[in-house]
């Protein structure tokens, strides 16, 4: 596989972030997001200043059009995978907002969120990096659906990474043990 870093910004208009936010029609935003998904679907992305793009994508996570939300989440996942540890800070800062998307009723948004968080945990950050957002997602203040989905993410991460990226702290054990007594049977089952 070719591991030459790809300059994805060369494939996009210079003001992509601004265009995403000012486009009047949702279809225009979706077309631009599709270009971003295509451009970022590479093994290694050349580091660049993605801060404005990430801000725009973060804003789109709150859009009422679920197709836009799912696409924005996919782009964030591709950036995390392609930039690797160079995306660590952004991945960590996006943890809370992405885990919050697990309560979405649209399965496409939830699936995109799972895939993106899996990519973050594989390429950009560790479970320890996301300990606070994950602990909050597993807390009693979260819905049973969010707790169950967060447990699934943690389970996949632990299974796929093993000791290589195992959490350094006991927060995982504590968080999972607390969900074993959850009021929701689905959450209890997922904890085991």
């Amino acid at each position: 596989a070719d591991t030459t870093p790809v300059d994805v910004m060369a494939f996009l208009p210079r003001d992509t972030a601004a265009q995403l936010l000012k486009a009047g029609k949702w279809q225009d935003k979706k077309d631009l997001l599709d270009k971003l998904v295509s451009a970022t679907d590479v093994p290694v992305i050349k580091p660049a200043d993605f801060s404005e793009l990430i801000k725009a994508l973060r804003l789109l996570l709150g859009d009422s059009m679920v197709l836009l939300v799912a696409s924005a989440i996919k782009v964030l996942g591709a950036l995390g995978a392609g930039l690797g540890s160079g995306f660590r800070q952004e991945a960590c800062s996006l943890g809370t907002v992405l885990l919050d998307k697990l309560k979405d009723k649209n399965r496409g948004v939830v699936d995109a969120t799972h895939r993106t968080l899996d990519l973050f945990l594989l390429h950009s950050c560790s479970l320890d990096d996301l300990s606070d957002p994950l602990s909050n997602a597993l807390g009693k203040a979260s819905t049973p659906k969010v707790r169950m989905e967060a447990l699934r993410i943690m389970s996949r991460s632990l299974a796929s990474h093993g000791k290589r990226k195992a959490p350094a702290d006991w927060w995982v054990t504590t968080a999972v043990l607390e969900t074993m007594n959850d009021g929701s049977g689905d959450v209890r089952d997922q904890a085991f």
Side-chain angles (χ1 to χ4, degrees):
D2 188 15
T3 58
T4 305
V6 176
D7 183 4
V8 299
M9 297 308 273
F11 299 108
L12 303 168
R14 199 170 261 235
D15 62 343
T16 300
Q19 284 184 30
L20 268 175
L21 296 177
K22 72 178 180 182
K25 296 179 182 178
W26 75 266
Q27 187 61 51
D28 295 338
K29 290 180 184 181
K30 178 72 169 108
D31 292 344
L32 196 50
L33 284 167
D34 288 344
K35 287 180 187 174
L36 279 166
V37 167
S38 187
T40 56
D41 188 22
V42 295
V44 182
I45 296 174
K46 181 180 176 183
D49 182 7
F50 292 100
S51 58
E52 291 302 313
L53 179 60
I54 293 167
K55 284 181 198 173
L57 292 168
R58 184 181 212 130
L59 286 171
L60 285 177
L61 295 180
D63 199 279
S64 60
M65 180 63 69
V66 293
L67 289 173
L68 298 179
V69 174
S71 292
I73 292 170
K74 287 177 190 173
V75 173
L76 290 168
L79 286 170
L83 291 168
S85 61
F87 196 74
R88 182 176 177 265
Q89 183 178 350
E90 292 82 358
C92 293
S93 73
L94 289 163
T96 300
V97 70
L98 287 174
L99 285 164
D100 192 51
K101 287 292 167 193
L102 294 174
K103 68 182 175 190
D104 200 288
K105 292 177 181 158
N106 182 280
R107 194 69 221 170
V109 170
V110 173
D111 289 346
T113 302
H114 272 279
R115 176 149 170 68
T116 292
L117 286 169
D118 288 346
L119 289 170
F120 283 3
L121 289 166
L122 184 61
H123 300 284
S124 305
C125 62
S126 68
L127 281 173
D128 284 332
D129 291 330
L130 296 179
S131 63
D132 288 339
L134 281 167
S135 293
N136 290 337
L138 293 172
K140 294 290 182 191
S142 292
T143 65
K145 182 177 190 273
V146 170
R147 292 194 298 272
M148 187 176 63
E149 301 289 353
L151 283 167
R152 285 184 178 146
I153 290 165
M154 291 173 61
S155 176
R156 281 194 309 272
S157 179
L158 290 168
S160 67
H161 301 126
K163 293 180 181 177
R164 182 169 54 92
K165 275 188 158 180
D169 213 341
W170 284 95
W171 72 267
V172 171
T173 306
T174 304
V176 172
L177 283 174
E178 288 176 11
T179 61
M180 289 180 173
N181 293 321
D182 199 272
S184 167
D186 290 340
V187 175
R188 284 193 308 273
D189 291 346
Q190 190 62 46
F192 286 102

